[in-house]
Amino acid sequence: MDNYNQLLAFIWAYEYGNFSAAARANGLTPSAMSKLISRLEARLQVRLFHRGTRTLTLTEEGHVYLNSARAVVDAMSEADSLAEDMPSRISGQLKIRTMTTFARYHILPWLPAFIDAYPDLDVDIETGPVYRDDFDRGLDLAIYGGVLASSSRIARRIGESQWITCASPAYITRYGIPSHPRELMEHRCFHFNFDSHWNQWLFTEDNQSIIFPVKPVASLSQGDLLRDLAIQGEGIVRLADFHVHRDIREGRLIPLLKAFQSPVREPLYIIYAKRQHLSPRIRCFIEFMEKQIALHPWSI
């Protein structure tokens, strides 16, 4: 068990970049974390990290050992999954991370039915705009869109979304409609306040994809805040159709620049660790989500 703890400490230290952050995130003291790494290096008789003043970087041997360490941790997780197959009831904790707007509009409406179907399952949902590979820290599933970094994880496509430039009827009455994407610079626009391709307003002109700049009058951290401002008539936003499709169908928001609408559709993935034997608690949620998406499409 101590050898396994050393592997976990090594992976955590690499992912967090220093012993203190890794220790805090996993309920250890920095001293305990450092001792686990030191015992691992002593056992292997190699140095795994270059220890800087504030950050750690892997040595060449550390890079090689990282793949092996992750393989062992994945194998242990697979063994746990096999054990979970034994009981007849699906139980335990199911930890999910996804985008806040997706959770609100496409998980929460159906979550009570899922909980009723699996009463012994403890569902833990965490939200955030950016995908993080937290599977070595207990994450079971992630749901995110866009281009994912290459990894050993399984990314199962469960849908796709299109980004829509839109505003409310009140805004259009007050400020008019841009006739070309370049006119967005003259309008009140809002976007996200973090570095993301979501802030790249992509359009198509003469069969070419072009990103037109906007000058946001305000930037916010969460899509629903942008949506609320747009519905209040305060400005133009660019949001995914899975987020605003009901608002558009019911007339609260109006798509703009439809002649320049990019045909690019962003894939949406449900992501889980690479395991030969998928845990029943994970499998039942995947099947549940795929059924709900099929029953409640969001295409405009």
Side-chain angles (χ1 to χ4, degrees), residues 32-249:
M33 178 69 66
S34 180
K35 287 178 181 177
L36 284 169
I37 300 298
S38 294
R39 287 203 294 270
L40 177 61
E41 290 179 326
R43 180 162 59 85
L44 299 176
Q45 296 186 342
V46 295
R47 194 170 186 84
L48 299 172
F49 289 106
H50 296 295
R51 290 160 171 79
T53 305
R54 295 184 178 179
T55 60
L56 299 169
T57 57
L58 289 173
T59 63
E60 183 175 349
E61 292 82 1
H63 276 290
V64 173
Y65 191 68
L66 180 64
N67 292 331
S68 298
R70 281 180 164 162
V72 171
V73 170
D74 285 345
M76 291 288 286
S77 297
E78 182 177 337
D80 290 343
S81 297
L82 287 171
E84 290 174 7
D85 278 332
M86 297 176 186
S88 58
R89 294 185 302 178
I90 295 176
S91 60
Q93 185 182 64
L94 180 67
K95 191 168 184 179
I96 303 163
R97 180 177 170 84
T98 187
M99 302 164 286
T100 304
T101 50
F102 188 85
R104 177 177 177 181
Y105 295 99
H106 299 287
I107 295 182
L108 294 190
W110 335 120
L111 189 60
F114 181 76
I115 293 171
D116 289 344
Y118 303 100
D120 296 313
L121 198 57
D122 176 17
V123 181
D124 180 344
I125 300 177
E126 175 185 301
T127 63
V130 180
Y131 167 66
R132 295 200 313 257
D133 188 328
D134 286 341
F135 292 98
D136 294 329
R137 294 190 292 276
L139 184 68
D140 292 304
L141 292 165
I143 303 175
Y144 281 89
V147 178
L148 302 176
S150 177
S151 75
S152 62
R153 309 308 184 187
I154 299 299
R156 181 166 173 168
R157 187 168 179 150
I158 57 171
E160 57 184 19
S161 63
Q162 191 168 36
W163 286 80
I164 308 296
T165 303
C166 53
S168 72
Y171 178 88
I172 291 171
T173 299
R174 185 177 178 185
Y175 294 101
I177 300 176
S179 60
H180 190 280
R182 71 171 65 94
E183 295 178 14
L184 289 169
M185 288 291 288
E186 303 166 11
H187 279 263
R188 293 166 57 86
C189 297
F190 300 100
H191 69 23
F192 297 94
N193 66 357
F194 51 88
D195 185 22
S196 172
H197 70 282
W198 296 347
N199 287 333
Q200 296 177 348
W201 292 38
L202 181 68
F203 297 92
T204 296
E205 185 174 29
D206 297 329
N207 295 319
Q208 291 187 336
S209 294
I210 303 173
I211 296 172
F212 284 89
V214 298
K215 186 178 181 181
V217 295
S219 302
L220 297 97
S221 64
Q222 213 280 315
D224 259 354
L225 301 177
L226 298 174
R227 168 188 173 270
D228 290 349
L229 280 171
I231 289 175
Q232 292 167 21
E234 297 300 328
I236 299 174
V237 295
R238 181 175 179 269
L239 296 169
D241 56 359
F242 73 72
H243 185 183
V244 296
H245 69 288
R246 290 189 186 92
D247 297 314
I248 290 174
R249 288 174 184 171

